[in-house]
Amino acid sequence: MPSVDEDELRRVAFGRLTSPADADDVALLRPGPNWFAGVVLGARGRYAAAASVFGGLARGKDPVIAAAALTALASHRRQLGGHAVARGLDGRAFSLLTAGSGAEDPDGVDAAGIRADALLGLAADNLALGGQRAARRLIAAVTDTRWRAAVRTGWVSAEVELAAGRAAEAVAPARRAHEIATARGADRHRVKSALVLSAALVATGESPARGRAAELVESALGDVEKFGLSSLAWPACLLAADLVPANAERYRSRALEVLHAVLLRSDPEGRRIAARSPWMPR
C-alpha cells in the first residue's frame, strides 16, 4: 500500500476536502511520526493514534514541532472536556517558544503560529475553568494575523463573549472566522467555524438568526458525515438537537453513538478525562 506524502496530509488537515475518500485513514499510511498525520487522525476522532504521534514528537529536539505536538494534543484533551490537562500542555508548549524563531510556514506551523495556538489554547482552557479575564488577556496577546490564527482567534473570542452573556458580540468574531476559513478553502476549519457561528446566532434569541443557525448546522452535519470528521460530529448533533426539537431525540442518540465510537478510539487518559468531565454528554 503506497504511503501518503506530507503535502497530501497538509491538504487534508488544512485545505479542501474533495471527496468521500478523504474520510479514509490516510494518515495511517504515513511512515513514522508526522505532525500533519496526527492532526488528520485527531480530526477523525482517532485520539489514541494521534496521541501516540504527538507523544513522540513532543519528546523531540525541535522546539517548534514539540510545541506544535503539545498544543494539538491539548486541543484533543480539551475536546474531551479536559481543560485543566490541556492548560498544562498549552503552557508547556508556550514555554518552548517564548524565544523561538525559524522559517515561516504558509499555514502557521512555525514558531509564531504555534505560539498563537498555545495562547489561544490557554485562553480556551482558562475560560472553561472560570478565568474569563485571563482568557481575554491571552487572546489580546496573539500577534499572528495569518489565516489559521485569525480563524482560531475568532472561535475563542466568540466563546468568551458567549460565556459573558454577550451573544450579539459573539456573532462578529464567529462570522469572521467562518468567512476566513471559507475564503481559504480550509474545509475542516470552515465546518467548525459554522458550528461556532451557529451557537452564537442561536444565543441571540432572534428568529432569523435561529433560521440561519439551522442552515449552518445542517450543512456542517453533511460535511462531517461525508468526510468522517468524528471530532466535530457529536457537537454538531447536539447543536442540531437544540435547533430542531422535532428530531432532538434522533440527534442526541446520534451524538452519543459518535462519542462512544470516539472514546473507543481514545487512549486511556482521554477516556479517563471524558469520564470525569462535567462537559461531556451522558
Side-chain angles (χ1 to χ4, degrees):
M1 188 175 291
S3 65
V4 175
D5 65 25
E6 187 168 291
D7 287 341
E8 177 70 0
L9 287 172
R10 182 188 287 265
R11 177 187 67 79
V12 178
F14 292 153
R16 185 73 70 187
L17 300 175
T18 56
S19 73
D22 284 327
D24 293 340
D25 297 325
V26 294
L28 295 176
L29 304 181
R30 171 79 186 191
N34 177 277
W35 186 80
F36 291 104
V39 171
V40 172
L41 288 166
R44 278 139 182 75
R46 291 185 172 272
Y47 289 143
S52 178
V53 171
F54 294 139
L57 294 174
R59 294 188 292 271
K61 295 182 179 180
D62 185 327
V64 174
I65 296 301
L70 288 167
T71 61
L73 181 58
S75 73
H76 296 170
R77 298 312 194 208
R78 195 161 45 246
Q79 287 162 6
L80 293 177
H83 303 283
V85 174
R87 183 167 62 177
L89 294 168
D90 285 320
R92 284 172 56 196
F94 184 76
S95 70
L96 291 174
L97 293 171
T98 52
S101 60
E104 287 193 2
D105 180 87
D107 296 306
V109 188
D110 52 30
I114 302 304
R115 189 181 298 116
D117 286 351
L119 286 167
L120 292 167
L122 284 166
D125 302 331
N126 277 277
L127 178 64
L129 296 170
Q132 191 177 122
R133 290 183 180 179
R136 291 185 184 277
R137 288 196 299 270
L138 288 159
I139 293 170
V142 175
T143 58
D144 189 355
T145 58
R146 291 171 294 176
W147 79 268
R148 200 166 62 84
V151 169
R152 291 170 63 85
T153 297
W155 295 345
V156 184
S157 297
E159 289 167 2
V160 169
E161 299 303 342
L162 286 172
R166 292 158 48 93
E169 287 76 7
V171 172
R175 181 172 285 127
R176 281 197 302 273
H178 189 253
E179 290 171 350
I180 293 167
T182 301
R184 181 73 185 189
D187 285 342
R188 186 169 60 86
H189 289 71
R190 172 183 55 78
V191 171
K192 179 168 179 179
S193 298
L195 298 180
V196 175
L197 178 55
S198 175
L201 289 168
V202 169
T204 66
E206 299 174 1
S207 181
R210 188 177 180 87
R212 174 57 178 152
E215 293 173 1
L216 286 165
V217 169
E218 182 178 1
S219 176
L221 277 170
D223 285 336
V224 298
E225 294 290 345
K226 180 178 181 180
F227 298 118
L229 302 176
S230 298
S231 63
L232 297 175
W234 63 269
C237 286
L238 291 177
L239 263 174
D242 288 339
L243 283 164
V244 189
N247 295 327
E249 192 59 35
R250 177 168 63 86
Y251 283 127
R252 290 196 183 97
S253 177
R254 177 59 179 157
L256 292 174
E257 178 185 342
V258 174
L259 180 56
H260 179 68
V262 167
L263 291 175
L264 286 176
R265 293 176 172 180
S266 297
D267 58 308
E269 176 63 13
R271 289 195 293 271
R272 282 194 294 269
I273 286 170
R276 294 193 300 259
S277 174
W279 297 88
M280 300 300 286
R282 304 299 178 193

